[in-house]
Amino acid sequence: MGEMYYSEFVDVYDKLFATTKRLEKEAILAEFIKTLAKKDESEWIYLLKGKIFPDYDEREFGISGQLTLKALAFAFGVPENKVTEMYRKVGDWGQIAEELADKKRQTTLFSSKLIVKKVFENLRKVVSIEGKGTVSRKIELIAELLGNASGREAKYIVRTLLQDLRIGVADALLRDSITDAFYHDDKKEMVSLVGEAYDLANDFAVVFEAAQKGKKELEKISIIPGKPINAMLAIKVEDIDEAFEVCGVPAAVEDKYDGFRVLIHKNKDKIWLFTRRLENVTKQFPDVVEAVKKYVKGESFILDSEVVGYDSKTKIYRPFEAISQRIKRKYDIEKIAGQLPVEVNVFDVLYYQGESFLKKEFKERRKLLEKIIKNEKWKLVSARQIITSSKEEAMRFYENALSRGEEGIMVKKLDAPYQQGRRVGYMVKLKPTVNDLDLVVIGAEYGSGKRGGMLTSYILGCRTEKDFVEVGKVSSGFKEKESEGVTYDQITELLKPLIIEEKGNVVRVSPKMVVSVTYQNIQKSPSYSSGYALRFPRISHYRPDRGIKDIATLKDIEKEFVRMQRKAEK
Ligand code: AMP
């Protein structure tokens, strides 16, 4: 028990890399998961996703191409300029690590075999080191692993560190493989049970362990205040007719506030605030914590809400950008809270006084919400809502919402449970037609002239089952001056640490930065790996509050393409 060679992981990585077929991948993973179960180290399962922490944990390696270069030079005793030269030729850190490690093995007689425990430990240390000498300590920890690694092992260690494993293990695949590893009967039920458990835990180690023990243990995984959970997502509709079709009538119609999603957790005197990507933002919003204490009754609860900024003088709501800077803020928090006040609009309750409300009907949850909230304008209120079967009434509500500067409306199914993640159609959004999509930046180009040294053009990607594919390039939307909004300079600073490959003036970055993009049309295009290209794209928002799970999938793009074609034909 407990002992395992890292080479066993590497064998699986290679096998997964070698096939793009979903069923084959699933079989490979299921087999390996059975082996892993015998080791009694459930956290090692994170390595299959190239991670060392659960998905809700935001800590990162913080390893750039530059640091990789230094670690490789140090580990293999090669001058840095030689490594740079190799990089110029090959353009792939993983491959360079492999070559260097193989060469070293040929000349050294002895090196010990890497065990998973050691790899896992060192990787965790790389994340946790802080303070003086951090960089050189990180390099030492990485070099210690590389120095004892075979070529293939070195390649995957480097790829893990750069968060670029390239073996195509998405959450859905891992969930299904865990089910396959332990269950043969009632497959459908177990797939959905494992899926639900994952939505609640956001932690593959927890799900993996429970799945081994059996159905009862999986069912025990529940929501508790303090542990972040995935939010329910909305689908987009074209008009009220479609909204009613999806949600049935009567339905609830609510304002769609233009702020950012916050799940509010409380247990006794402790309050936590989590964004939709499970990031803990409690510290950044002491004013929200205060409001929750004051205006919500109850010892323990989990609420779903949209937090919206407003101008303290004019009392006019401000667009998301204005408060987005509060999300990442680490200093002067009280001061900025005064300058950029927010209002909390609560629209759901998922847990109350020790009981989960996820499976209860929305109308019941809303009733509870109204009982426990004391509405206080500009601080904390329950979302404006009507319940109606009338198209005219819904239309009036919609127009009224727009005239008050809201983004649009949400229509919600009254008897639906709170279904986490997946866009199931229990709530739909209706906005005036601007075509927009959330996408992730997967590459960028340096500008020239006045914009030299800055990354000013961005390659956009959407999600597939396996990884990310390109859907176009965008260079407009950000600003030159800070007073006007997010600048190219700021975006460059944020992108630089994410660079994993550099060729000429083009860089590839690990997919982290989410942006909302408007565009005029979608075309088929051989120039981008998705086969589609956005026409006239423009970045409307930088979205630090969203993660890659939130972005559009290739299927979404295909659907949009078909929809736009149809519209054009009408
Ligand atoms: P979108 O961001 O366009 O996918 O729209 C869904 C988002 O709208 C949710 O994730 C919330 O952040 C936000 N939202 C604003 N008002 C509401 C509301 N009344 N109910 C649910 N979500 C809302």
Side-chain angles (χ1 to χ4, degrees):
M1 260 210 311
E3 191 83 343
M4 188 178 196
Y5 288 117
Y6 184 58
S7 58
E8 293 184 54
F9 265 91
V10 168
D11 287 341
V12 173
Y13 291 155
D14 270 346
K15 280 192 214 156
L16 291 167
F17 182 77
T19 175
T20 50
K21 294 204 183 76
R22 158 103 193 195
L23 283 176
E24 280 178 23
K25 279 183 185 280
E26 206 173 309
I28 296 164
L29 278 167
E31 213 34 59
F32 182 68
I33 285 167
K34 277 190 231 165
T35 314
L36 198 57
K38 298 192 192 107
K39 307 292 174 190
D40 212 19
E41 292 282 354
S42 46
E43 290 190 319
W44 291 352
I45 199 165
Y46 303 144
L47 289 173
L48 290 173
K49 283 188 60 190
K51 301 188 69 162
I52 44 164
F53 294 115
D55 286 334
Y56 63 80
D57 196 316
E58 294 264 318
R59 281 175 289 174
E60 291 187 349
F61 292 118
I63 302 291
S64 61
Q66 198 54 32
L67 206 135
T68 309
L69 187 155
K70 286 195 160 41
L72 288 171
F74 184 71
F76 299 111
V78 193
E80 284 183 21
N81 59 7
K82 177 103 189 297
V83 185
T84 311
E85 203 177 295
M86 288 177 84
Y87 186 73
R88 268 204 208 108
K89 267 193 224 133
V90 184
D92 177 343
W93 294 116
Q95 204 180 320
I96 294 170
E98 181 169 10
E99 279 173 30
L100 288 170
D102 274 338
K103 220 180 267 162
K104 184 181 169 203
R105 283 252 157 145
Q106 283 165 15
T107 53
T108 341
L109 282 176
F110 174 80
S111 61
S112 60
K113 260 192 108 173
L114 269 182
I115 55 170
V116 182
K117 186 161 181 275
K118 180 75 188 163
V119 176
F120 201 75
E121 261 173 25
N122 274 31
L123 291 178
R124 279 212 162 158
K125 280 187 200 153
V126 166
V127 176
S128 56
I129 299 173
E130 276 177 7
K132 237 177 114 192
T134 300
V135 172
S136 55
R137 276 292 291 142
K138 281 191 181 184
I139 291 174
E140 277 164 28
L141 286 162
I142 299 167
E144 188 189 5
L145 295 179
L146 294 178
N148 286 310
S150 69
R152 286 156 64 227
E153 287 170 342
K155 175 171 81 183
Y156 285 111
I157 288 168
V158 165
R159 289 199 173 157
T160 301
L161 284 163
L162 290 169
Q163 300 188 294
D164 186 30
L165 208 49
R166 306 187 196 174
I167 55 167
V169 178
D171 291 353
L173 175 64
L174 197 50
R175 279 195 322 236
D176 292 351
S177 310
I178 291 176
T179 316
D180 289 348
F182 305 115
Y183 302 100
H184 302 287
D185 309 327
D186 307 324
K187 234 355 186 319
K188 228 172 141 191
E189 186 198 346
M190 293 318 295
V191 165
S192 89
L193 197 59
V194 169
E196 267 174 42
Y198 178 71
D199 277 337
L200 294 167
N202 274 302
D203 185 338
F204 273 113
V206 170
V207 175
F208 172 44
E209 212 169 304
Q212 287 169 56
K213 292 185 185 146
K215 199 172 153 185
K216 278 226 169 70
E217 284 299 311
L218 279 171
E219 281 167 346
K220 264 196 220 156
I221 295 177
S222 174
I223 47 176
I224 42 164
K227 200 174 73 176
I229 49 171
N230 289 326
M232 175 157 75
L233 301 175
I235 57 174
K236 190 165 155 186
V237 293
E238 291 290 305
D239 49 34
I240 301 273
D241 282 325
E242 195 186 346
F244 279 175
E245 223 168 85
V246 176
C247 297
V249 282
V253 182
E254 297 179 0
D255 278 358
K256 183 177 193 308
Y257 304 98
D258 183 15
F260 74 102
R261 187 102 177 239
V262 174
L263 281 113
I264 302 166
H265 295 228
K266 179 179 170 184
N267 188 22
K268 305 219 173 74
D269 51 4
K270 223 173 144 49
I271 288 173
W272 300 261
L273 307 174
F274 295 106
T275 66
R276 160 163 148 173
R277 51 182 297 198
L278 317 179
E279 200 175 352
N280 186 337
V281 292
T282 316
K283 277 208 195 82
Q284 289 91 311
F285 293 91
D287 44 344
V288 173
V289 171
E290 260 327 287
V292 172
K293 274 190 197 149
K294 254 186 160 152
Y295 305 115
V296 191
K297 267 193 278 185
E299 280 275 293
S300 71
F301 49 74
I302 301 176
L303 308 176
D304 201 349
S305 76
E306 185 85 353
V307 169
V308 192
Y310 61 89
D311 188 302
S312 55
K313 284 198 203 92
T314 58
K315 291 279 160 57
I316 291 174
Y317 289 111
R318 306 182 67 177
F320 168 74
E321 253 72 43
I323 47 158
S324 71
Q325 35 175 316
R326 285 195 58 183
I327 299 174
K328 295 266 170 217
R329 195 75 172 206
K330 300 242 156 62
Y331 54 92
D332 280 349
I333 283 172
E334 298 286 344
K335 192 168 136 205
I336 194 168
Q339 286 164 355
L340 295 171
V342 294
E343 180 183 65
V344 186
N345 295 273
V346 185
F347 54 76
D348 217 326
V349 47
L350 322 186
Y351 180 98
Y352 197 68
Q353 309 291 65
E355 192 189 344
S356 165
F357 272 66
L358 291 179
K359 298 241 157 80
K360 299 244 156 87
E361 296 186 350
F362 177 55
K363 57 175 182 286
E364 218 183 299
R365 303 199 303 273
R366 172 77 196 195
K367 245 189 224 145
L368 173 64
L369 192 71
E370 283 168 14
K371 263 205 278 187
I372 63 177
I373 284 185
K374 183 169 171 283
N375 285 311
E376 178 74 25
K377 187 75 192 146
W378 305 116
K379 296 282 184 211
L380 187 144
V381 295
S382 49
R384 253 169 63 93
Q385 187 197 71
I386 56 165
I387 289 174
T388 181
S389 306
S390 146
K391 245 171 36 186
E392 288 71 33
E393 200 182 352
M395 215 40 218
R396 271 200 303 278
F397 189 94
Y398 177 45
E399 275 157 15
N400 184 271
L402 293 179
S403 72
R404 282 181 289 106
E406 306 297 2
E407 251 194 313
I409 51 171
M410 306 293 295
V411 178
K412 299 183 180 179
K413 190 170 160 64
L414 285 177
D415 58 3
Y418 188 96
Q419 171 90 56
Q420 295 173 280
R422 287 172 283 261
R423 299 174 188 269
V424 279
Y426 294 158
M427 67 175 192
V428 302
K429 55 186 174 189
L430 177 60
K431 296 194 271 190
T433 26
V434 271
N435 299 313
D436 70 342
L437 288 169
D438 284 350
L439 297 164
V440 68
V441 177
I442 54 178
E445 278 175 30
Y446 286 102
S448 55
K450 214 175 77 190
R451 291 181 168 188
M454 273 193 285
L455 292 163
T456 51
S457 143
Y458 314 97
I459 299 157
L460 301 168
C462 68
R463 221 154 36 97
T464 68
E465 273 271 310
K466 233 174 83 211
D467 46 22
F468 302 90
V469 287
E470 303 155 0
V471 289
K473 202 159 85 177
V474 60
S475 46
S476 59
F478 293 128
K479 305 288 188 294
E480 306 285 344
K481 288 195 215 121
E482 222 179 311
S483 55
E484 291 166 355
V486 181
T487 63
Y488 289 100
D489 237 353
Q490 288 168 328
I491 292 297
T492 304
E493 285 315 303
L494 291 167
L495 281 176
K496 274 196 174 155
L498 304 179
I499 295 178
I500 43 185
E501 214 175 280
E502 209 154 350
K503 272 200 190 122
N505 67 337
V506 183
V507 301
R508 210 159 66 83
V509 297
S510 66
K512 285 277 152 57
M513 181 183 287
V514 176
V515 288
S516 299
V517 179
T518 61
Y519 56 92
Q520 218 169 66
N521 209 340
I522 299 181
Q523 277 184 332
K524 289 223 164 166
S525 160
S527 320
Y528 296 105
S529 53
S530 66
Y532 294 96
L534 302 183
R535 295 256 303 150
F536 305 114
R538 183 183 172 81
I539 293 177
S540 62
H541 305 284
Y542 158 52
R543 306 273 354 186
D545 60 322
R546 296 193 180 171
I548 46 176
K549 278 191 188 158
D550 300 317
I551 69 168
T553 60
L554 184 53
K555 284 209 184 95
D556 294 334
I557 308 266
E558 277 158 1
K559 233 172 83 189
E560 273 302 294
F561 172 74
V562 172
R563 190 183 65 80
M564 294 182 110
Q565 291 267 304
R566 259 200 227 122
K567 223 165 143 188
E569 280 160 15
K570 262 189 200 166

